[in-house]
Amino acid sequence: MRTTTRFQHKNIVLLILAVLLIFTLFHFESIRSDAAGTAVTVQEVYDELNEVRAQYGYEALDWDGALYDCAAVRSVELKSYFSHTRPDGRAWYTVNKKVMYGENLYRSTKNRDAEGIVARWMASPSHRELILDGSYESVGIAGYTENGVSYWVMEFGY
């Protein structure tokens, strides 16, 4: 019976991961940014982030798939509770305590390109501090849009 339970848990975990992967591939690839139908991609926000870091003399952050997965979870959570606290009351980093060490959130109903999104983060002292923290080595970024509101999350790691 124990083997059956492990097998069932393993299948459930694999199913959840498959659903997340499909959702991620089809929903997070690009976020609508204006009425003309142009899209802001995660790649564009990532490139803009590293361009800004370079302007201030910091090295580019490596892309981290595990941090991206965390950012994807957090971006969807933000639609119901926009906070560094998760909707269930736990701290933001509990998505994956092993990789998450800093978090930037962004919400907007305005149409912004990647430059505009990163500029908004840079205009906030606490968000800017994380972007220009030279001790971070990696990042994962995800965006989610629902009902005309865009939610972006940047997760930082070492």
Side-chain angles (χ1 to χ4, degrees):
M1 179 171 240
R2 229 175 168 184
T3 305
T4 303
T5 304
R6 279 191 207 153
F7 180 74
Q8 289 170 336
H9 287 338
K10 182 179 177 182
N11 283 342
I12 290 170
V13 169
L14 289 174
L15 178 63
I16 291 169
L17 289 174
V19 169
L20 284 173
L21 177 63
I22 290 167
F23 184 70
T24 298
L25 289 174
F26 291 101
H27 197 71
F28 293 101
E29 181 60 29
S30 63
I31 305 297
R32 210 167 180 70
S33 67
D34 65 26
T38 61
V40 177
T41 66
V42 168
Q43 182 68 49
E44 290 170 330
V45 176
Y46 173 68
D47 291 343
E48 180 64 21
L49 165 70
N50 280 325
E51 188 174 308
V52 167
R53 283 178 57 89
Q55 291 170 5
Y56 287 87
Y58 293 95
E59 290 192 24
L61 294 172
D62 293 328
W63 182 259
D64 186 308
L67 287 172
Y68 167 77
D69 292 342
C70 296
V73 168
R74 291 288 295 132
S75 67
V76 173
E77 289 180 344
L78 294 179
K79 72 179 179 178
S80 63
Y81 193 65
F82 190 82
S83 172
H84 290 289
T85 302
R86 299 180 70 193
D88 64 6
R90 292 181 295 156
W92 60 272
Y93 56 83
T94 60
V95 175
N96 186 340
K97 294 178 187 180
K98 295 179 181 177
V99 297
M100 299 171 73
Y101 296 99
E103 177 178 78
N104 278 346
L105 307 178
Y106 174 75
R107 171 182 60 195
S108 180
T109 57
K110 299 198 188 289
N111 300 323
R112 300 203 191 279
D113 57 11
E115 186 178 321
I117 292 167
V118 175
R120 297 297 296 171
W121 272 320
M122 288 297 288
S124 162
S126 60
H127 295 102
R128 178 187 181 100
E129 183 178 334
L130 289 178
I131 289 172
L132 299 179
D133 186 327
S135 65
Y136 289 126
E137 297 173 357
S138 58
V139 69
I141 302 166
Y144 176 81
T145 296
E146 186 173 298
N147 298 325
V149 181
S150 295
Y151 305 92
W152 285 88
V153 178
M154 203 180 272
E155 300 292 354
F156 298 91
Y158 296 112

